[in-house]
Amino acid sequence: MWKSLGLNLEAHDGLLQVLGKAYSDIYLSQKNRPAGMAYLDFVMSEIHGLRIEELVEAKKQGRKVIGTFCLYVPEEIIVAADAISVGLCAGAECGTELVEQILPRNTCALIKSFVGFKLAGVCPYVEACDLVIGETTCDGKTKAYEIFNQYKPMFILEVPHMKNANDRQLWRSEVGRLADKIEELTGKKITADLLKKGVQVVNAKRQSLHRLNQLRAADPAPISGLDSLLINQVQFYDDPIRFTAKINELCDELETRIAKKEGVAPAGTPRILVSGCPMAAPNWKLPAIIEKSGAVIVGEESCVGERGTRNLVDLQGATTREEILDRIAQRYLEIDCAVFTPNPERIEHVSEMTRTYKANGVVHYELQFCTPYTMEGFAVRKAMNENSIPSLRIETDYSMEDAAQIQTRVQAFLELLK
Ligand code: BJ8
């Protein structure tokens, strides 16, 4: 199967070995994990196995696989066309030498990573894709897609950077253009009924994650931040209906744990909210350092977290295809990515999350060379000062070179919270 997907077998084997070791060191060594995490462990152990077999099988039956890099791509439309949406690899250093021959060195790690996975030939997801959707969010991604397009067919969605009436109009027309493209790719007419079904599937997935988030407000925390992050990462790969059922089962277990006052760490453990750039799998460096230093992460204000899942598509009163697409467009423009200006909603959301999850401190995660989030780091720090919530800004990349230095800073920060 790997050969038919065109992977570089030797490099792929090497990657799996490194990932397997990292997973076991970071995840399997955690104490008091909920039993329901066994499903996520299984998915991760098969992320380059059974899930790829499922995709290959689906493709044989005529279904299409569509890769995405960003929250602005409406999954509802992909599901409506009976296609499969997959988030593409962007959370580890890979093929850096090759990447730096075609991209500037001072490009953010996330961009280098997705280009690197493709150049090194080690990501079966990108190879399985019939189409990859990019978007005009930050400049780095926008320009990198021009290069990525030379290796994989791409469709670029224009995401405006403001939310005025003309921006909303442009965005609505882009959502329509995407629906037309997916119809063309799949050969399926996306009717109102199919769209409704797509919305229901994706809303249910997000509702299961809302349920999980609410349970994390308990003290002691019933689940670790590392495990919650993993769940948020897996939602970009797994079958959405199966994933929703499993997360709801896990939430049932967490409710029982909360009733018994069982947690992953004792009550009173410092509670941290992580905010900032997305952490795509297998980017676990910072949360592992925070939790191994004696804190528990109770929320992620991130695209791989609550920024990506908090809003639902409101179908009430929408009956036609065009009306449902209006609602989808509306929902996606509520996302408060730092590429928008002005963007006060995001800062307010960080403050709101500190209250909801009773966070004692905020760690703002900034990928080096990511201008939008690094710039907003100042506004987040100011808002936290005003709320008397200690905050710590961490600027890093995917290498492990600064791990010891970050650990020292995190430990000193946690001392402040005691
Ligand atoms: S909605 S955060 S997924 S654009 S870290 S590549 S912004 S230089 S990932 Fe993002 Fe969509 Fe926004 Fe979310 Fe650029 Fe920054 Fe790199 Fe980034």
Side-chain angles (χ1 to χ4, degrees):
M1 179 173 74
W2 301 132
K3 256 196 184 155
S4 68
L5 284 171
L7 290 192
N8 176 333
L9 298 185
E10 206 181 317
H12 184 240
D13 282 352
L15 174 78
L16 291 192
Q17 267 177 19
V18 174
L19 286 185
K21 164 112 181 49
Y23 193 78
S24 140
D25 291 349
I26 294 173
Y27 274 92
L28 303 181
S29 65
Q30 295 180 95
K31 304 252 174 340
N32 307 328
R33 294 177 84 205
M37 284 308 295
Y39 173 69
L40 281 299
D41 289 339
F42 173 72
V43 171
M44 285 308 283
S45 68
E46 292 296 339
I47 202 122
H48 280 215
L50 277 182
R51 183 62 183 142
I52 299 295
E53 280 176 33
E54 283 182 348
L55 297 188
V56 169
E57 192 45 45
K59 279 163 75 80
K60 278 189 200 150
Q61 285 164 18
R63 295 176 72 195
K64 300 291 179 191
V65 177
I66 298 179
T68 65
F69 293 110
C70 180
L71 288 187
Y72 285 99
V73 181
E75 189 181 344
E76 294 82 349
I77 299 175
I78 299 176
V79 174
D82 197 29
I84 300 172
S85 170
V86 289
L88 294 176
C89 305
E93 278 187 331
C94 184
T96 308
E97 274 180 28
L98 296 171
V99 173
E100 289 179 355
Q101 289 169 24
I102 57 170
L103 288 182
R105 286 194 75 191
N106 57 354
T107 300
C108 103
L110 193 146
I111 297 171
K112 279 190 189 174
S113 173
F114 75 70
V115 177
F117 270 94
K118 173 65 194 141
L119 295 184
V122 293
C123 178
Y125 289 89
V126 77
E127 303 307 337
C129 281
D130 298 288
L131 179 70
V132 175
I133 301 175
E135 17 49 54
T136 59
T137 46
C138 69
D139 288 351
K141 272 173 149 187
T142 305
K143 297 307 284 181
Y145 293 143
E146 288 175 13
I147 295 164
F148 200 80
N149 190 33
Q150 295 164 19
Y151 303 92
K152 205 75 199 167
M154 291 204 75
F155 176 86
I156 306 293
L157 262 181
E158 183 168 355
V159 177
H161 288 182
M162 295 179 84
K163 297 184 182 177
N164 298 321
N166 54 330
D167 302 302
R168 288 181 188 280
Q169 224 174 9
L170 163 74
W171 174 239
R172 172 60 182 85
S173 76
E174 284 298 281
V175 168
R177 200 167 65 85
L178 176 71
D180 294 347
K181 177 69 190 177
I182 292 178
E183 279 186 339
E184 178 197 311
L185 175 78
T186 57
K188 288 212 167 66
K189 187 87 202 121
I190 302 179
T191 61
D193 281 347
L194 289 175
L195 265 183
K196 258 187 208 163
K197 206 175 136 222
V199 169
Q200 280 154 0
V201 166
V202 179
N203 274 354
K205 174 164 89 166
R206 294 189 178 131
Q207 274 163 330
S208 72
L209 293 166
H210 295 175
R211 199 177 155 205
L212 171 72
N213 291 343
Q214 281 157 12
L215 296 171
R216 294 171 71 192
D219 189 16
I223 184 166
S224 68
L226 272 168
D227 279 338
S228 307
L229 173 65
L230 185 72
I231 292 168
N232 277 289
Q233 290 173 336
V234 164
Q235 60 131 336
F236 291 102
Y237 300 92
D238 201 4
D239 173 79
I241 295 176
R242 177 173 61 202
F243 174 86
T244 304
K246 289 292 179 186
I247 299 311
N248 278 320
E249 271 173 33
L250 174 71
C251 290
D252 294 341
E253 182 191 350
L254 298 187
E255 280 169 2
T256 312
R257 283 189 137 199
I258 292 170
K260 291 190 196 157
K261 297 210 171 309
E262 274 174 21
V264 285
T269 297
R271 300 165 68 84
I272 297 294
L273 177 75
V274 174
S275 164
C277 289
M279 292 177 183
N283 178 0
W284 305 311
K285 178 171 81 172
L286 182 60
I289 291 174
I290 294 172
E291 294 204 322
K292 292 224 161 30
S293 301
V296 62
I297 296 169
V298 291
E300 298 78 26
E301 188 282 314
S302 161
C303 289
V304 187
E306 200 166 300
R307 189 186 310 133
T309 53
R310 68 178 166 140
N311 303 311
L312 300 179
V313 175
D314 178 6
L315 277 180
Q316 216 175 357
T319 48
T320 66
R321 178 188 192 272
E322 296 311 307
E323 284 167 349
I324 301 170
L325 287 176
D326 287 347
R327 298 301 177 82
I328 291 175
Q330 224 171 320
R331 184 263 167 204
Y332 278 81
L333 215 54
E334 282 170 34
I335 300 170
D336 47 14
C337 173
V339 299
F340 277 84
T341 186
N343 194 31
E345 300 95 324
R346 176 168 170 251
I347 312 303
E348 281 155 24
H349 186 216
V350 179
S351 298
E352 180 199 304
M353 285 182 77
T354 60
R355 293 189 291 272
T356 307
Y357 303 112
K358 303 176 198 90
N360 307 112
V362 170
V363 175
H364 197 254
Y365 173 67
E366 300 164 12
L367 276 176
Q368 217 176 8
F369 311 121
C370 170
T371 307
Y373 284 90
T374 309
M375 290 258 187
E376 282 199 356
F378 290 89
V380 170
R381 186 168 62 190
K382 182 168 174 277
M384 293 309 108
N385 284 346
E386 285 163 6
N387 295 341
S388 303
I389 300 275
S391 62
L392 173 70
R393 292 179 62 185
I394 298 283
E395 190 175 347
T396 184
D397 57 16
Y398 289 171
S399 79
M400 291 308 285
E401 277 165 23
D402 59 356
Q405 192 204 9
I406 293 176
Q407 187 171 11
T408 309
R409 291 187 61 206
V410 166
Q411 283 169 347
F413 179 64
L414 296 182
E415 279 301 311
L416 267 183
L417 306 183
K418 284 184 183 160

